[in-house]
Amino acid sequence: MTALQPTVFEVRTDEADRQIKALEQRRADNADALEALRHAVCKLYRKEAVLYPDIEQFLLFSTVPGSEYFIERDKLRKKIKVDAFGLWLKLEGGKFKIKPEFAEDALGFVPDEVSALVTAWEEVDKLATQNPRKYWSDSAQQFKTIPVSATEQNEIESRNTMMVSKPELAQLIEKLRGEVQLINRANIYHDAGITKARLRQNRPELIPFISHKEVESGKGLKTYEFFVVENMLMQSANPKYKAFDEA
């Protein structure tokens, strides 16, 4: 007996485009935040340029995407500030005989260079890139965004290609979508008061394939909007794919 091959039901081009643009923006935001940190490290070192290892000591994250690893953000912020204070004290030529961890209280102020670095680190930590080194350009000695490659775009488009196990399911899905659309219109614009309990009584065949949420009708009354639980009827052609630094 020949096994059935999955059939393409729909290609969600708009959603794929949205995800690609979101990835481009996320990477651009990461590069901007990392570059701001590089400038802060330059200011702390009192140099026009620094090497990656000079920045790397401040590339610590309270959380790492895709990992259960985390550190309390306040504790990590304190470490970053102490490390920055240590460099500042060293570059002051040793005129302050203070340990970095006590410097703020002893001096009664935080140097601008230290404050700027901590602020820049906070922005980098919010984004929590999986690997900041990937954004570093050895030739330019600065951070740059990572373009979304053609391969990544193809993988994202494949992830948004929805398949059905049998060709006849396509007609059933379209019919189900039409029925749900009609129910929602009746509820939202005509206060039909259709609930899941009523559907369970009158249209039990719909129940396994729909879910709902509470919304307001056109008259401001509480009602329900239904939607198709599509993962019961179709599946992505590439469900496990996730690009580098994709949210």
Side-chain angles (χ1 to χ4, degrees), residues 44-59:
L44 180 63
Y45 272 97
R46 304 169 192 181
K47 295 179 179 179
E48 291 187 5
V50 290
L51 300 175
Y52 186 81
D54 297 325
I55 307 165
E56 194 170 24
Q57 61 186 310
F58 300 109
L59 291 174

Side-chain angles (χ1 to χ4, degrees), residues 66-235:
S67 170
E68 296 181 359
Y69 169 85
F70 73 95
I71 299 176
E72 288 183 30
R73 199 158 193 255
D74 288 343
K75 288 182 179 179
L76 194 51
R77 184 190 295 108
K78 184 176 181 180
K79 172 178 170 48
I80 295 294
K81 180 184 280 189
V82 168
D83 289 350
F85 244 125
L87 278 170
W88 183 84
L89 290 169
K90 182 180 178 180
L91 291 167
E92 284 293 302
K95 63 183 179 182
F96 298 107
K97 305 301 181 183
I98 311 167
K99 289 186 177 182
E101 57 266 36
F102 305 123
E104 183 176 356
D105 290 336
L107 294 172
F109 70 93
V110 178
D112 290 343
E113 299 92 331
V114 174
S115 294
L117 189 141
V118 173
T119 298
W121 169 83
E122 287 176 335
E123 291 305 309
V124 171
D125 187 58
K126 286 177 187 176
L127 296 167
T129 173
Q130 295 171 357
N131 184 356
R133 188 68 176 80
K134 284 193 173 186
Y135 291 89
W136 181 254
S137 168
D138 288 323
S139 58
Q141 290 293 291
Q142 65 185 65
F143 292 101
K144 294 186 175 184
T145 191
I146 304 169
V148 180
S149 69
T151 299
E152 289 173 321
Q153 291 186 42
N154 289 338
E155 295 285 1
I156 291 171
E157 288 166 2
S158 175
R159 187 176 64 203
N160 285 280
T161 299
M162 307 308 294
M163 314 291 290
V164 290
S165 59
K166 301 177 182 179
E168 55 265 32
L169 277 177
Q171 290 182 335
L172 292 176
I173 294 168
E174 293 291 5
K175 182 179 179 182
L176 183 58
R177 284 176 172 176
E179 292 207 38
V180 168
Q181 187 177 13
L182 187 62
I183 292 168
N184 288 338
R185 186 166 186 84
N187 265 359
I188 294 170
Y189 296 106
H190 302 283
D191 293 310
I194 301 171
T195 64
K196 198 163 186 178
R198 283 183 60 185
L199 288 175
R200 191 182 300 277
Q201 183 178 6
N202 300 318
R203 298 294 307 279
E205 73 277 10
L206 298 180
I207 296 303
F209 307 109
I210 62 173
S211 188
H212 69 289
K213 64 180 178 180
E214 189 175 302
V215 296
E216 283 190 358
S217 72
K219 296 180 180 179
L221 302 174
K222 184 181 81 170
T223 189
Y224 296 95
E225 180 180 9
F226 291 86
F227 51 92
V228 179
V229 183
E230 296 189 337
N231 61 3
M232 292 190 65
L233 299 164
M234 65 182 84
Q235 55 280 331

Side-chain angles (χ1 to χ4, degrees), residues 34-44 47-48 50 55:
L34 288 165
E35 188 59 6
L37 180 64
R38 182 185 72 83
H39 282 292
V41 174
C42 287
K43 186 177 179 182
L44 180 63
K47 295 179 179 179
E48 291 187 5
V50 290
I55 307 165

